Amino acid sequence: MDLLERSADLEALERALLDAASGSGSIVLVAGEAGIGKTQLVQAFTDLHGHDARILWGACDDLSTPRTLGPFRDVATRVGGPLHHAVVHGTRSEVFDEVLAAVAGGIRPTALVIEDVHWADGASLDVIKFLGRRIERLGAMLIMTYRNEEVPSDHPLALLIGDLPASAVRRVRPEPLSFEAVEEMATGYAGSVEQLYAKTRGNPFLVTVS
């Protein structure tokens, strides 16, 4: 999928990384409807900074019974060591401590990505809250993607966001593509671009599968 009309969103992530490198961490909430390009945006950002940032990546899944600490199990599989032991065998306090140590450790700033956090289990949300309340003092950024249409005001994620320090939270909201961008993506499309744009409302994923 082409990454079009996302320069301002990338710049917001870049600024957060620069601040993290100077020791002032933040939480970046990347919110938008399904298919709007949240993952592609974050992937493009991490691809650009694999050499000057420590990238940690975890995901939440739409399961009938969510994995306990699912995204942190993903991270622990890569990091190993005390974090892996804590997530698999440790107490709640040990999980908190080792996640904090993993994010804070290292010479380079850390970018911890948690995808689809609207599906996070309660234990993962607790770890996110613990980390989020300390992130401003760390050389790290926490990037969380979620579908805003699935997070009403009484959703556990909405309540969590309300408990985070407002000064630590930054918001990135990828917008639907313009007609011109859809036209560029639809090069070679046999049908009407006008109808394609009206049908997809500028959603990049829907453009690619139409």
Side-chain angles (χ1 to χ4, degrees):
M1 184 183 295
D2 295 328
L3 193 69
L4 300 174
E5 300 184 335
R6 297 291 184 253
S7 58
D9 299 326
L10 279 171
E11 287 173 8
L13 292 168
E14 298 277 354
R15 288 194 297 272
L17 181 61
L18 285 173
D19 289 343
S22 67
S24 180
S26 63
I27 304 148
V28 184
L29 304 177
V30 182
E33 66 185 42
I36 201 67
K38 301 180 294 295
T39 295
Q40 287 71 27
L41 170 67
V42 176
Q43 185 67 63
F45 169 74
T46 57
D47 286 348
L48 285 170
H49 291 284
H51 63 290
D52 58 5
R54 183 167 174 253
I55 309 297
L56 303 176
W57 204 293
C60 306
D61 301 292
D62 185 15
L63 305 175
S64 57
T65 304
R67 290 190 304 159
T68 301
L69 297 171
F72 298 101
R73 287 180 181 270
D74 293 342
V75 173
T77 297
R78 174 184 172 182
V79 173
L83 176 60
H84 187 269
H85 183 271
V87 169
V88 176
H89 304 291
T91 65
R92 186 169 183 264
S93 292
E94 288 171 337
V95 172
F96 287 168
D97 291 345
E98 293 303 333
V99 167
L100 184 63
V103 171
I107 299 174
R108 297 177 295 169
T110 296
L112 170 58
V113 180
I114 302 180
E115 282 199 275
D116 294 321
V117 74
H118 53 280
W119 290 327
D121 65 289
S124 294
L125 292 177
D126 283 346
V127 176
I128 291 168
K129 181 187 290 188
F130 176 84
L131 180 60
R133 291 172 65 85
R134 292 158 177 78
I135 196 81
E136 289 181 289
R137 299 187 293 276
L138 305 177
M141 58 187 297
L142 171 59
I143 305 170
M144 297 193 294
T145 73
Y146 65 95
R147 298 177 184 175
N148 54 349
E149 73 271 21
E150 296 197 24
V151 184
S153 59
D154 59 347
H155 191 283
L157 177 59
L159 300 177
L160 165 66
I161 292 171
D163 284 339
L164 296 174
S167 57
V169 175
R170 309 183 188 198
R171 296 178 184 270
V172 173
R173 295 183 181 273
E175 296 291 335
L177 299 177
S178 67
F179 176 83
E180 290 74 19
V182 171
E183 187 175 37
E184 181 176 342
M185 290 184 69
T187 300
Y189 178 65
S192 163
V193 176
E194 288 80 4
Q195 291 180 359
L196 177 65
Y197 180 69
K199 174 184 174 183
T200 63
R201 297 177 292 108
N203 182 295
F205 176 74
L206 295 179
V207 172
T208 63
V209 299
S210 296

